[in-house]
Amino acid sequence: MSAIRGSGFALGAAYLYGGTFGAVFGALSTLGQAVAYRADIRPTINYQPAKRPRITKLQVLAAVNRTVGYAVTGYISALTAGQRANAMSVGLKAGLAIGAVTAIAMPFTPFVEWSADHVPEKRMGVFGVGLILVGFTLQSVQYGLALLDVSVR
């Protein structure tokens, strides 16, 4: 699982900062996540479905750990890729962005799970049909544009 997430980070970072940066960032990300999972820091820390968003002290510490870890990872990746001038900036951006997303998403995950578990079956079925219709519509946009000879640039 860590390697899949690390590969995603590697591709995104390579697009933004180059292949060397992306490869180092992805490798360090995978290594860091594997170590964190061994230390029992994972997305489901203190996870219990709840009626309202909540955050625990352990979740805050995990978000801080992730922020610092990705800041250091971004810094090392930038140095390795020869981007010494903006290494600190890249590291801070990476750490703060990933840490902020973690800190914001963590309290709401149990609430979303609880909400999904308590949706009536009929409403869930209607929602599923709606998603199918949206998918069909999005799939047919490309053919509609070709039929109308619309050029998208």
Side-chain angles (χ1 to χ4, degrees):
M1 189 63 92
S2 296
I4 294 171
R5 187 178 293 164
S7 297
F9 279 136
L11 288 173
Y15 178 75
L16 293 174
Y17 298 108
T20 303
F21 181 96
V24 172
F25 193 84
L28 290 175
S29 173
T30 300
L31 179 68
Q33 288 175 50
V35 169
Y37 285 161
R38 289 277 184 196
D40 228 16
I41 296 174
R42 61 196 183 291
T44 56
I45 283 179
N46 294 339
Y47 181 77
Q48 298 170 345
K51 288 185 178 182
R52 62 181 76 84
R54 69 175 183 81
I55 191 159
T56 64
K57 202 181 276 189
L58 188 57
Q59 289 172 326
V60 170
L61 291 174
V64 169
N65 179 27
R66 198 162 190 210
T67 301
V68 171
Y70 276 104
V72 171
T73 298
Y75 180 73
I76 292 170
S77 299
L79 288 178
T80 305
Q83 300 175 5
R84 295 189 187 281
N86 64 346
M88 185 64 77
S89 170
V90 170
L92 286 174
K93 284 179 192 175
L96 290 174
I98 293 169
V101 168
T102 300
I104 291 169
M106 231 185 250
F108 292 98
T109 304
F111 173 67
V112 170
E113 180 74 22
W114 182 87
S115 299
D117 285 345
H118 290 84
V119 172
E121 288 182 27
K122 285 184 180 181
R123 190 175 296 165
M124 186 65 86
V126 170
F127 184 71
V129 169
L131 285 176
I132 290 170
L133 293 174
V134 167
F136 285 149
T137 303
L138 290 174
Q139 179 87 23
S140 64
V141 166
Q142 63 182 331
Y143 301 115
L145 292 175
L147 182 66
L148 298 173
D149 198 28
V150 175
S151 176
V152 179
R153 293 190 194 243

